[in-house]
Amino acid sequence: LLDFPGKSACTVFLAGCDMNCPFCHNSGLIDGSAPSLMSDAELLVFLKKRLGLLDGVAFTGGEPLLRKELPQLLSDIKKLGYAVKLDTNGAHPAELKALIEKALVDYVAMDIKNSPEKYPKTAGSDNIKIEDIKSSIAILLEAGIDYEFRTTVVKPLHDEASFKEIAPMIKGAKRYFLQAFMEREAVRDPELKAPSREEMESYAEIVRPFVESVELRGI
């Protein structure tokens, strides 16, 4: 009931990611080496049995857009009558645009990791192309489908300066969520901490003049 706004949904985790965020809660999926628990065919059988019970399917990871077979799988799911939500890190604008143009996604949640300068450290990769991130933002702003941008706020990776730079990047967006980092054993860097409510509120105020709706999660 939480992963796909307004819908009861099944959430599908796809392994493999081209980022290595030190605060990732799904770090076991990053290298893609975990054995699959279900094939595409088995997933479709699962979903057929739940027609009338579920409204949608949310794909997360890892990074779903790394999967070459994703368009066909989404097409098969759409034919069953389900709405599809996609979680993405925004590093694959061409693949994102193709799914939207083929009407294979109904809702996209894109992570905004940090300000451009801090993106490599926050995403755990020096191979980040900030222009790809900006292209994905522009695609969602213009696509006409429902979407959200979101940032997982982590101490000490984020500060006021971060959000002063993030805000103009997503200017004109419908919806932006600031998600409080949650300390868990699965997180690679045990030194990372959750921000306070006061800090979260102050960051939200920085972004509000640029975005229609800014909300907090996880606090």
Side-chain angles (χ1 to χ4, degrees):
L1 298 176
L2 297 176
D3 287 343
F4 196 151
K7 299 189 182 298
S8 59
C10 153
T11 301
V12 179
F13 292 85
L14 298 180
C17 191
D18 47 349
M19 295 188 183
N20 193 20
C21 305
F23 53 89
C24 181
H25 288 166
N26 298 326
S27 57
L29 298 176
I30 290 175
D31 65 6
S33 63
S36 297
L37 300 179
M38 186 179 287
S39 68
D40 289 6
E42 288 170 328
L43 173 62
L44 292 171
V45 169
F46 173 91
L47 292 173
K48 286 176 184 177
K49 291 179 179 178
R50 284 154 181 81
L51 288 169
L53 299 175
L54 296 176
D55 305 315
V57 184
F59 281 87
T60 187
E63 172 50 52
L65 291 177
L66 288 174
R67 183 180 170 127
K68 300 303 181 185
E69 317 90 79
L70 185 64
Q72 183 59 56
L73 178 58
L74 297 190
S75 178
D76 292 340
I77 290 172
K78 292 286 287 181
K79 288 175 184 176
L80 292 176
Y82 285 105
V84 172
K85 174 183 178 254
L86 174 74
D87 291 352
T88 181
N89 62 25
H92 306 276
E95 290 79 3
L96 175 63
K97 185 176 182 181
L99 291 184
I100 293 172
E101 288 178 344
K102 293 174 182 176
L104 295 179
V105 290
D106 302 281
Y107 191 106
V108 176
M110 177 180 160
D111 293 325
I112 308 294
K113 301 296 184 181
N114 210 327
S115 60
E117 181 181 353
K118 295 178 180 179
Y119 235 91
K121 182 176 181 180
T122 309
S125 173
D126 292 326
N127 298 319
I128 303 301
K129 296 179 181 178
I130 198 65
E131 290 309 313
D132 285 343
I133 304 300
K134 291 180 178 179
S135 292
S136 292
I137 292 171
I139 288 167
L140 292 177
L141 290 176
E142 299 167 5
I145 67 166
D146 209 359
Y147 67 90
E148 68 182 56
F149 296 118
R150 60 193 187 183
T151 297
T152 299
V153 185
V154 189
K155 294 177 68 172
L157 297 175
H158 297 92
D159 54 22
E160 287 192 0
S162 299
F163 293 94
K164 287 179 180 178
E165 293 192 45
I166 289 173
M169 288 172 62
I170 59 172
K171 183 177 180 180
K174 292 185 198 175
R175 194 177 297 114
Y176 179 54
F177 291 96
L178 283 80
Q179 305 175 159
F181 167 69
M182 296 179 65
E183 299 170 28
R184 296 181 181 175
E185 290 185 6
V187 173
R188 291 191 300 107
D189 187 346
E191 300 300 316
L192 299 177
K193 302 296 180 184
S196 67
R197 171 178 280 276
E198 290 73 23
E199 288 170 319
M200 293 279 285
E201 289 285 4
S202 70
Y203 300 154
E205 286 303 314
I206 292 171
V207 185
R208 282 200 170 99
F210 295 81
V211 177
E212 289 182 30
S213 173
V214 179
E215 299 180 43
L216 306 183
R217 281 179 178 153
I219 59 171

